[in-house]
Amino acid sequence: MSTDAGPGAGARLGAELSDAVVLFHDAIGSLMGLSATDHKALGILRREGPMSATRLAARTGLTPGAVTGLVDRLEAAGLARRERDGDDRRRLTIVATDPASPDVAAAFARLQRAMAGVTAQFSAGELAVVARWVEATTTVLREQVHEIAHRRAPEARTGA
Amino acid sequence: MSTDAGPGAGARLGAELSDAVVLFHDAIGSLMGLSATDHKALGILRREGPMSATRLAARTGLTPGAVTGLVDRLEAAGLARRERDGDDRRRLTIVATDPASPDVAAAFARLQRAMAGVTAQFSAGELAVVARWVEATTTVLREQVHEIAHRRAPEARTGA
DNA sequence: CTGAATAGTTCAGCCAGCTAAAATGTATCT
DNA sequence: AGATACATTTTAGCTGGCTGAACTATTCAG
């Protein structure tokens, strides 16, 4: 099932995966002892690289005060660290680091091994097709997130 | 970038997509006015079909009291409804329904249209490859979620 | 050097959503 | 019928994480 090529097949393909991805993120998050906000912020830091607290506040939509607590928690969990900027010593740079907990590292290792098993079932040419689909889908999702955010608050474009 | 075929390529492909999926879910969730728990529960209901409150409690890991509140919120948002069981009138069946809000429906319509655009870029044979990859990846993720949950609480298998 | 602006932290208060336990309504067993 | 078990709801109380506002440290403009 779910391999038909009718209209909406693309959406259905994505939906299948989508739930599994979200549940996996959730499982990893609770394994790390992170709230949803923490996990999302960590994702932003990983994806966009080190940034100041102010920028992180803008990207997450949180107030400065909340960001302080957030970074405290990430730091305590060994998932990020604060670095004072040499140029402007008011400014922080918040850097995501690798998972400290052995449980988390083991979970990622298992995932990586399992995904290698999946990859092994495909030829190089097939993997290229998959990569193309993944990239196109990723782009679509990002655009849609953007779209949703801007329809909700067209004037409050915070940093993206 | 990210289209190389070295070791870990599968994991990297997945990671690209994973963030985008999570952010999209998040955007949809806040568009619906749902908490993370609500959204997760709704996903379970959609995926596994109607179920009793007790079973939903087991699947979400919540206490019965919390489930009452959760279903109240879903019902208020027009995303699920309670049905009294005719056989055993103590028992409820909780049924997920379609998104009530026009905003949400529009967002899904936009996504579907955009994904149709992606699908159009692939031949039927290529889509079959993608479908195979999606299914294999979905299976892997579900297994890993299971794995994580059971390593954390090997004795407390609640209903899965 | 002074005053204004900026980056981040601290503090007090608030709210959502959780748990635990008691209450309610229904089914089952004897 | 009476006692017991079960499914869900209600209630009380707690906690985490948020906001808004005051505060500290640093930079910049004049």
PDB file of all heavy atoms in Angstrom, chain D residues 18-30:
ATOM      1  P    DC D  18      10.467  28.290  27.623  1.00  0.00           P
ATOM      2  OP1  DC D  18      10.516  27.711  26.282  1.00  0.00           O
ATOM      3  OP2  DC D  18      11.716  28.604  28.348  1.00  0.00           O
ATOM      4  O5'  DC D  18       9.557  29.603  27.585  1.00  0.00           O
ATOM      5  C5'  DC D  18       8.222  29.508  27.080  1.00  0.00           C
ATOM      6  C4'  DC D  18       7.366  30.625  27.645  1.00  0.00           C
ATOM      7  O4'  DC D  18       7.286  30.433  29.067  1.00  0.00           O
ATOM      8  C3'  DC D  18       7.998  32.005  27.463  1.00  0.00           C
ATOM      9  O3'  DC D  18       7.390  32.679  26.371  1.00  0.00           O
ATOM     10  C2'  DC D  18       7.699  32.725  28.765  1.00  0.00           C
ATOM     11  C1'  DC D  18       7.181  31.686  29.702  1.00  0.00           C
ATOM     12  N1   DC D  18       7.957  31.619  30.974  1.00  0.00           N
ATOM     13  C2   DC D  18       7.456  32.271  32.102  1.00  0.00           C
ATOM     14  O2   DC D  18       6.387  32.889  32.023  1.00  0.00           O
ATOM     15  N3   DC D  18       8.154  32.215  33.259  1.00  0.00           N
ATOM     16  C4   DC D  18       9.302  31.554  33.321  1.00  0.00           C
ATOM     17  N4   DC D  18       9.952  31.517  34.486  1.00  0.00           N
ATOM     18  C5   DC D  18       9.832  30.888  32.178  1.00  0.00           C
ATOM     19  C6   DC D  18       9.134  30.946  31.022  1.00  0.00           C
ATOM     20  P    DT D  19       7.998  34.089  25.931  1.00  0.00           P
ATOM     21  OP1  DT D  19       7.498  34.334  24.568  1.00  0.00           O
ATOM     22  OP2  DT D  19       9.446  34.108  26.215  1.00  0.00           O
ATOM     23  O5'  DT D  19       7.319  35.133  26.937  1.00  0.00           O
ATOM     24  C5'  DT D  19       5.900  35.232  26.993  1.00  0.00           C
ATOM     25  C4'  DT D  19       5.520  36.320  27.992  1.00  0.00           C
ATOM     26  O4'  DT D  19       5.995  35.946  29.305  1.00  0.00           O
ATOM     27  C3'  DT D  19       6.157  37.670  27.665  1.00  0.00           C
ATOM     28  O3'  DT D  19       5.140  38.670  27.732  1.00  0.00           O
ATOM     29  C2'  DT D  19       7.222  37.864  28.737  1.00  0.00           C
ATOM     30  C1'  DT D  19       6.724  37.001  29.887  1.00  0.00           C
ATOM     31  N1   DT D  19       7.799  36.381  30.711  1.00  0.00           N
ATOM     32  C2   DT D  19       7.838  36.638  32.067  1.00  0.00           C
ATOM     33  O2   DT D  19       7.035  37.370  32.626  1.00  0.00           O
ATOM     34  N3   DT D  19       8.856  36.013  32.741  1.00  0.00           N
ATOM     35  C4   DT D  19       9.819  35.169  32.213  1.00  0.00           C
ATOM     36  O4   DT D  19      10.669  34.672  32.929  1.00  0.00           O
ATOM     37  C5   DT D  19       9.717  34.946  30.789  1.00  0.00           C
ATOM     38  C7   DT D  19      10.706  34.058  30.113  1.00  0.00           C
ATOM     39  C6   DT D  19       8.727  35.552  30.115  1.00  0.00           C
ATOM     40  P    DG D  20       5.445  40.128  27.144  1.00  0.00           P
ATOM     41  OP1  DG D  20       4.165  40.598  26.561  1.00  0.00           O
ATOM     42  OP2  DG D  20       6.668  40.066  26.319  1.00  0.00           O
ATOM     43  O5'  DG D  20       5.771  40.995  28.449  1.00  0.00           O
ATOM     44  C5'  DG D  20       4.920  40.874  29.586  1.00  0.00           C
ATOM     45  C4'  DG D  20       5.488  41.728  30.698  1.00  0.00           C
ATOM     46  O4'  DG D  20       6.497  40.982  31.419  1.00  0.00           O
ATOM     47  C3'  DG D  20       6.159  43.021  30.227  1.00  0.00           C
ATOM     48  O3'  DG D  20       5.826  44.030  31.169  1.00  0.00           O
ATOM     49  C2'  DG D  20       7.657  42.660  30.221  1.00  0.00           C
ATOM     50  C1'  DG D  20       7.740  41.680  31.385  1.00  0.00           C
ATOM     51  N9   DG D  20       8.788  40.670  31.285  1.00  0.00           N
ATOM     52  C8   DG D  20       9.288  40.089  30.142  1.00  0.00           C
ATOM     53  N7   DG D  20      10.216  39.200  30.376  1.00  0.00           N
ATOM     54  C5   DG D  20      10.336  39.182  31.760  1.00  0.00           C
ATOM     55  C6   DG D  20      11.180  38.415  32.608  1.00  0.00           C
ATOM     56  O6   DG D  20      12.017  37.558  32.286  1.00  0.00           O
ATOM     57  N1   DG D  20      10.982  38.709  33.952  1.00  0.00           N
ATOM     58  C2   DG D  20      10.080  39.623  34.430  1.00  0.00           C
ATOM     59  N2   DG D  20      10.024  39.785  35.744  1.00  0.00           N
ATOM     60  N3   DG D  20       9.277  40.360  33.645  1.00  0.00           N
ATOM     61  C4   DG D  20       9.461  40.086  32.331  1.00  0.00           C
ATOM     62  P    DA D  21       6.349  45.527  30.967  1.00  0.00           P
ATOM     63  OP1  DA D  21       5.192  46.405  31.251  1.00  0.00           O
ATOM     64  OP2  DA D  21       7.091  45.655  29.690  1.00  0.00           O
ATOM     65  O5'  DA D  21       7.398  45.676  32.162  1.00  0.00           O
ATOM     66  C5'  DA D  21       7.108  45.071  33.424  1.00  0.00           C
ATOM     67  C4'  DA D  21       8.325  45.187  34.315  1.00  0.00           C
ATOM     68  O4'  DA D  21       9.205  44.066  34.077  1.00  0.00           O
ATOM     69  C3'  DA D  21       9.164  46.442  34.048  1.00  0.00           C
ATOM     70  O3'  DA D  21       9.697  46.880  35.287  1.00  0.00           O
ATOM     71  C2'  DA D  21      10.256  45.933  33.131  1.00  0.00           C
ATOM     72  C1'  DA D  21      10.505  44.561  33.785  1.00  0.00           C
ATOM     73  N9   DA D  21      11.192  43.600  32.931  1.00  0.00           N
ATOM     74  C8   DA D  21      11.112  43.475  31.564  1.00  0.00           C
ATOM     75  N7   DA D  21      11.858  42.515  31.075  1.00  0.00           N
ATOM     76  C5   DA D  21      12.464  41.968  32.196  1.00  0.00           C
ATOM     77  C6   DA D  21      13.376  40.913  32.359  1.00  0.00           C
ATOM     78  N6   DA D  21      13.857  40.191  31.345  1.00  0.00           N
ATOM     79  N1   DA D  21      13.797  40.633  33.617  1.00  0.00           N
ATOM     80  C2   DA D  21      13.314  41.360  34.637  1.00  0.00           C
ATOM     81  N3   DA D  21      12.452  42.379  34.605  1.00  0.00           N
ATOM     82  C4   DA D  21      12.060  42.636  33.351  1.00  0.00           C
ATOM     83  P    DA D  22      10.340  48.344  35.438  1.00  0.00           P
ATOM     84  OP1  DA D  22       9.409  49.126  36.277  1.00  0.00           O
ATOM     85  OP2  DA D  22      10.782  48.838  34.111  1.00  0.00           O
ATOM     86  O5'  DA D  22      11.631  48.015  36.313  1.00  0.00           O
ATOM     87  C5'  DA D  22      11.451  47.269  37.516  1.00  0.00           C
ATOM     88  C4'  DA D  22      12.740  46.570  37.870  1.00  0.00           C
ATOM     89  O4'  DA D  22      13.080  45.617  36.829  1.00  0.00           O
ATOM     90  C3'  DA D  22      13.941  47.515  37.994  1.00  0.00           C
ATOM     91  O3'  DA D  22      14.681  47.137  39.138  1.00  0.00           O
ATOM     92  C2'  DA D  22      14.721  47.277  36.706  1.00  0.00           C
ATOM     93  C1'  DA D  22      14.447  45.798  36.469  1.00  0.00           C
ATOM     94  N9   DA D  22      14.604  45.360  35.078  1.00  0.00           N
ATOM     95  C8   DA D  22      14.032  45.912  33.962  1.00  0.00           C
ATOM     96  N7   DA D  22      14.352  45.298  32.839  1.00  0.00           N
ATOM     97  C5   DA D  22      15.186  44.273  33.257  1.00  0.00           C
ATOM     98  C6   DA D  22      15.868  43.258  32.547  1.00  0.00           C
ATOM     99  N6   DA D  22      15.801  43.108  31.227  1.00  0.00           N
ATOM    100  N1   DA D  22      16.624  42.391  33.270  1.00  0.00           N
ATOM    101  C2   DA D  22      16.680  42.545  34.600  1.00  0.00           C
ATOM    102  N3   DA D  22      16.081  43.458  35.381  1.00  0.00           N
ATOM    103  C4   DA D  22      15.347  44.300  34.633  1.00  0.00           C
ATOM    104  P    DC D  23      15.937  47.972  39.616  1.00  0.00           P
ATOM    105  OP1  DC D  23      16.001  47.849  41.089  1.00  0.00           O
ATOM    106  OP2  DC D  23      15.880  49.303  38.962  1.00  0.00           O
ATOM    107  O5'  DC D  23      17.159  47.162  38.998  1.00  0.00           O
ATOM    108  C5'  DC D  23      17.431  45.851  39.518  1.00  0.00           C
ATOM    109  C4'  DC D  23      18.628  45.268  38.802  1.00  0.00           C
ATOM    110  O4'  DC D  23      18.277  45.017  37.428  1.00  0.00           O
ATOM    111  C3'  DC D  23      19.850  46.207  38.765  1.00  0.00           C
ATOM    112  O3'  DC D  23      20.947  45.519  39.352  1.00  0.00           O
ATOM    113  C2'  DC D  23      20.067  46.485  37.280  1.00  0.00           C
ATOM    114  C1'  DC D  23      19.418  45.254  36.640  1.00  0.00           C
ATOM    115  N1   DC D  23      18.992  45.448  35.232  1.00  0.00           N
ATOM    116  C2   DC D  23      19.430  44.532  34.258  1.00  0.00           C
ATOM    117  O2   DC D  23      20.173  43.607  34.603  1.00  0.00           O
ATOM    118  N3   DC D  23      19.050  44.691  32.968  1.00  0.00           N
ATOM    119  C4   DC D  23      18.254  45.716  32.637  1.00  0.00           C
ATOM    120  N4   DC D  23      17.900  45.819  31.355  1.00  0.00           N
ATOM    121  C5   DC D  23      17.785  46.654  33.606  1.00  0.00           C
ATOM    122  C6   DC D  23      18.167  46.485  34.883  1.00  0.00           C
ATOM    123  P    DT D  24      22.365  46.335  39.530  1.00  0.00           P
ATOM    124  OP1  DT D  24      22.878  45.972  40.860  1.00  0.00           O
ATOM    125  OP2  DT D  24      22.200  47.752  39.111  1.00  0.00           O
ATOM    126  O5'  DT D  24      23.266  45.608  38.435  1.00  0.00           O
ATOM    127  C5'  DT D  24      23.400  44.181  38.462  1.00  0.00           C
ATOM    128  C4'  DT D  24      24.375  43.775  37.382  1.00  0.00           C
ATOM    129  O4'  DT D  24      23.728  43.920  36.090  1.00  0.00           O
ATOM    130  C3'  DT D  24      25.645  44.626  37.322  1.00  0.00           C
ATOM    131  O3'  DT D  24      26.750  43.754  37.186  1.00  0.00           O
ATOM    132  C2'  DT D  24      25.441  45.524  36.109  1.00  0.00           C
ATOM    133  C1'  DT D  24      24.569  44.637  35.217  1.00  0.00           C
ATOM    134  N1   DT D  24      23.669  45.335  34.273  1.00  0.00           N
ATOM    135  C2   DT D  24      23.603  44.892  32.973  1.00  0.00           C
ATOM    136  O2   DT D  24      24.274  43.968  32.556  1.00  0.00           O
ATOM    137  N3   DT D  24      22.740  45.593  32.169  1.00  0.00           N
ATOM    138  C4   DT D  24      21.945  46.664  32.525  1.00  0.00           C
ATOM    139  O4   DT D  24      21.218  47.191  31.703  1.00  0.00           O
ATOM    140  C5   DT D  24      22.059  47.076  33.896  1.00  0.00           C
ATOM    141  C7   DT D  24      21.265  48.240  34.384  1.00  0.00           C
ATOM    142  C6   DT D  24      22.908  46.400  34.699  1.00  0.00           C
ATOM    143  P    DA D  25      28.271  44.346  37.156  1.00  0.00           P
ATOM    144  OP1  DA D  25      29.116  43.374  37.874  1.00  0.00           O
ATOM    145  OP2  DA D  25      28.258  45.782  37.515  1.00  0.00           O
ATOM    146  O5'  DA D  25      28.628  44.238  35.609  1.00  0.00           O
ATOM    147  C5'  DA D  25      28.468  42.982  34.959  1.00  0.00           C
ATOM    148  C4'  DA D  25      28.768  43.180  33.491  1.00  0.00           C
ATOM    149  O4'  DA D  25      27.678  43.900  32.874  1.00  0.00           O
ATOM    150  C3'  DA D  25      30.034  44.000  33.217  1.00  0.00           C
ATOM    151  O3'  DA D  25      30.770  43.307  32.225  1.00  0.00           O
ATOM    152  C2'  DA D  25      29.510  45.342  32.711  1.00  0.00           C
ATOM    153  C1'  DA D  25      28.198  44.925  32.064  1.00  0.00           C
ATOM    154  N9   DA D  25      27.158  45.944  31.991  1.00  0.00           N
ATOM    155  C8   DA D  25      26.711  46.750  33.006  1.00  0.00           C
ATOM    156  N7   DA D  25      25.745  47.569  32.644  1.00  0.00           N
ATOM    157  C5   DA D  25      25.541  47.267  31.301  1.00  0.00           C
ATOM    158  C6   DA D  25      24.665  47.779  30.335  1.00  0.00           C
ATOM    159  N6   DA D  25      23.768  48.740  30.582  1.00  0.00           N
ATOM    160  N1   DA D  25      24.724  47.253  29.092  1.00  0.00           N
ATOM    161  C2   DA D  25      25.610  46.298  28.847  1.00  0.00           C
ATOM    162  N3   DA D  25      26.496  45.727  29.661  1.00  0.00           N
ATOM    163  C4   DA D  25      26.408  46.265  30.892  1.00  0.00           C
ATOM    164  P    DT D  26      32.221  43.815  31.768  1.00  0.00           P
ATOM    165  OP1  DT D  26      33.003  42.615  31.443  1.00  0.00           O
ATOM    166  OP2  DT D  26      32.705  44.820  32.733  1.00  0.00           O
ATOM    167  O5'  DT D  26      31.883  44.557  30.396  1.00  0.00           O
ATOM    168  C5'  DT D  26      31.328  43.785  29.327  1.00  0.00           C
ATOM    169  C4'  DT D  26      30.904  44.725  28.230  1.00  0.00           C
ATOM    170  O4'  DT D  26      29.889  45.614  28.721  1.00  0.00           O
ATOM    171  C3'  DT D  26      32.017  45.622  27.687  1.00  0.00           C
ATOM    172  O3'  DT D  26      32.266  45.202  26.362  1.00  0.00           O
ATOM    173  C2'  DT D  26      31.450  47.040  27.787  1.00  0.00           C
ATOM    174  C1'  DT D  26      29.958  46.764  27.930  1.00  0.00           C
ATOM    175  N1   DT D  26      29.154  47.805  28.612  1.00  0.00           N
ATOM    176  C2   DT D  26      28.190  48.455  27.891  1.00  0.00           C
ATOM    177  O2   DT D  26      27.970  48.228  26.712  1.00  0.00           O
ATOM    178  N3   DT D  26      27.474  49.407  28.591  1.00  0.00           N
ATOM    179  C4   DT D  26      27.628  49.749  29.915  1.00  0.00           C
ATOM    180  O4   DT D  26      26.927  50.608  30.429  1.00  0.00           O
ATOM    181  C5   DT D  26      28.659  49.023  30.618  1.00  0.00           C
ATOM    182  C7   DT D  26      28.927  49.329  32.065  1.00  0.00           C
ATOM    183  C6   DT D  26      29.372  48.101  29.946  1.00  0.00           C
ATOM    184  P    DT D  27      33.405  45.868  25.472  1.00  0.00           P
ATOM    185  OP1  DT D  27      33.888  44.860  24.510  1.00  0.00           O
ATOM    186  OP2  DT D  27      34.346  46.579  26.360  1.00  0.00           O
ATOM    187  O5'  DT D  27      32.563  46.951  24.652  1.00  0.00           O
ATOM    188  C5'  DT D  27      31.591  46.495  23.712  1.00  0.00           C
ATOM    189  C4'  DT D  27      30.844  47.684  23.171  1.00  0.00           C
ATOM    190  O4'  DT D  27      30.232  48.407  24.258  1.00  0.00           O
ATOM    191  C3'  DT D  27      31.711  48.700  22.420  1.00  0.00           C
ATOM    192  O3'  DT D  27      31.192  48.781  21.112  1.00  0.00           O
ATOM    193  C2'  DT D  27      31.568  49.987  23.225  1.00  0.00           C
ATOM    194  C1'  DT D  27      30.231  49.773  23.911  1.00  0.00           C
ATOM    195  N1   DT D  27      29.977  50.517  25.167  1.00  0.00           N
ATOM    196  C2   DT D  27      28.927  51.394  25.224  1.00  0.00           C
ATOM    197  O2   DT D  27      28.188  51.607  24.278  1.00  0.00           O
ATOM    198  N3   DT D  27      28.761  52.026  26.434  1.00  0.00           N
ATOM    199  C4   DT D  27      29.526  51.862  27.560  1.00  0.00           C
ATOM    200  O4   DT D  27      29.274  52.480  28.585  1.00  0.00           O
ATOM    201  C5   DT D  27      30.615  50.925  27.434  1.00  0.00           C
ATOM    202  C7   DT D  27      31.514  50.683  28.611  1.00  0.00           C
ATOM    203  C6   DT D  27      30.792  50.307  26.258  1.00  0.00           C
ATOM    204  P    DC D  28      32.015  49.507  19.940  1.00  0.00           P
ATOM    205  OP1  DC D  28      31.817  48.717  18.703  1.00  0.00           O
ATOM    206  OP2  DC D  28      33.378  49.836  20.425  1.00  0.00           O
ATOM    207  O5'  DC D  28      31.206  50.874  19.793  1.00  0.00           O
ATOM    208  C5'  DC D  28      29.782  50.840  19.688  1.00  0.00           C
ATOM    209  C4'  DC D  28      29.235  52.247  19.831  1.00  0.00           C
ATOM    210  O4'  DC D  28      29.205  52.621  21.233  1.00  0.00           O
ATOM    211  C3'  DC D  28      30.094  53.317  19.119  1.00  0.00           C
ATOM    212  O3'  DC D  28      29.207  54.194  18.441  1.00  0.00           O
ATOM    213  C2'  DC D  28      30.823  54.003  20.277  1.00  0.00           C
ATOM    214  C1'  DC D  28      29.755  53.924  21.365  1.00  0.00           C
ATOM    215  N1   DC D  28      30.217  54.059  22.763  1.00  0.00           N
ATOM    216  C2   DC D  28      29.438  54.821  23.658  1.00  0.00           C
ATOM    217  O2   DC D  28      28.401  55.348  23.247  1.00  0.00           O
ATOM    218  N3   DC D  28      29.846  54.943  24.948  1.00  0.00           N
ATOM    219  C4   DC D  28      30.964  54.338  25.357  1.00  0.00           C
ATOM    220  N4   DC D  28      31.315  54.484  26.633  1.00  0.00           N
ATOM    221  C5   DC D  28      31.782  53.569  24.470  1.00  0.00           C
ATOM    222  C6   DC D  28      31.375  53.457  23.180  1.00  0.00           C
ATOM    223  P    DA D  29      29.720  55.203  17.323  1.00  0.00           P
ATOM    224  OP1  DA D  29      29.692  54.513  16.030  1.00  0.00           O
ATOM    225  OP2  DA D  29      30.989  55.814  17.796  1.00  0.00           O
ATOM    226  O5'  DA D  29      28.605  56.360  17.315  1.00  0.00           O
ATOM    227  C5'  DA D  29      27.609  56.394  18.346  1.00  0.00           C
ATOM    228  C4'  DA D  29      27.404  57.812  18.854  1.00  0.00           C
ATOM    229  O4'  DA D  29      27.881  57.911  20.229  1.00  0.00           O
ATOM    230  C3'  DA D  29      28.144  58.921  18.082  1.00  0.00           C
ATOM    231  O3'  DA D  29      27.265  60.053  18.015  1.00  0.00           O
ATOM    232  C2'  DA D  29      29.384  59.190  18.933  1.00  0.00           C
ATOM    233  C1'  DA D  29      28.850  58.931  20.343  1.00  0.00           C
ATOM    234  N9   DA D  29      29.836  58.453  21.307  1.00  0.00           N
ATOM    235  C8   DA D  29      30.879  57.596  21.070  1.00  0.00           C
ATOM    236  N7   DA D  29      31.603  57.323  22.143  1.00  0.00           N
ATOM    237  C5   DA D  29      30.973  58.049  23.150  1.00  0.00           C
ATOM    238  C6   DA D  29      31.246  58.185  24.516  1.00  0.00           C
ATOM    239  N6   DA D  29      32.257  57.563  25.137  1.00  0.00           N
ATOM    240  N1   DA D  29      30.431  58.978  25.241  1.00  0.00           N
ATOM    241  C2   DA D  29      29.419  59.598  24.621  1.00  0.00           C
ATOM    242  N3   DA D  29      29.053  59.556  23.338  1.00  0.00           N
ATOM    243  C4   DA D  29      29.883  58.747  22.650  1.00  0.00           C
ATOM    244  P    DG D  30      27.664  61.366  17.254  1.00  0.00           P
ATOM    245  OP1  DG D  30      26.422  61.924  16.672  1.00  0.00           O
ATOM    246  OP2  DG D  30      28.831  61.079  16.396  1.00  0.00           O
ATOM    247  O5'  DG D  30      28.116  62.323  18.443  1.00  0.00           O
ATOM    248  C5'  DG D  30      27.114  62.780  19.363  1.00  0.00           C
ATOM    249  C4'  DG D  30      27.782  63.582  20.455  1.00  0.00           C
ATOM    250  O4'  DG D  30      28.667  62.722  21.214  1.00  0.00           O
ATOM    251  C3'  DG D  30      28.642  64.738  19.928  1.00  0.00           C
ATOM    252  O3'  DG D  30      28.312  65.928  20.621  1.00  0.00           O
ATOM    253  C2'  DG D  30      30.076  64.325  20.265  1.00  0.00           C
ATOM    254  C1'  DG D  30      29.862  63.437  21.490  1.00  0.00           C
ATOM    255  N9   DG D  30      30.918  62.471  21.735  1.00  0.00           N
ATOM    256  C8   DG D  30      31.583  61.691  20.812  1.00  0.00           C
ATOM    257  N7   DG D  30      32.499  60.923  21.347  1.00  0.00           N
ATOM    258  C5   DG D  30      32.435  61.208  22.712  1.00  0.00           C
ATOM    259  C6   DG D  30      33.194  60.692  23.783  1.00  0.00           C
ATOM    260  O6   DG D  30      34.085  59.851  23.757  1.00  0.00           O
ATOM    261  N1   DG D  30      32.805  61.268  24.999  1.00  0.00           N
ATOM    262  C2   DG D  30      31.815  62.217  25.142  1.00  0.00           C
ATOM    263  N2   DG D  30      31.576  62.647  26.377  1.00  0.00           N
ATOM    264  N3   DG D  30      31.106  62.716  24.131  1.00  0.00           N
ATOM    265  C4   DG D  30      31.470  62.159  22.954  1.00  0.00           C
TER     266       DG D  30
END
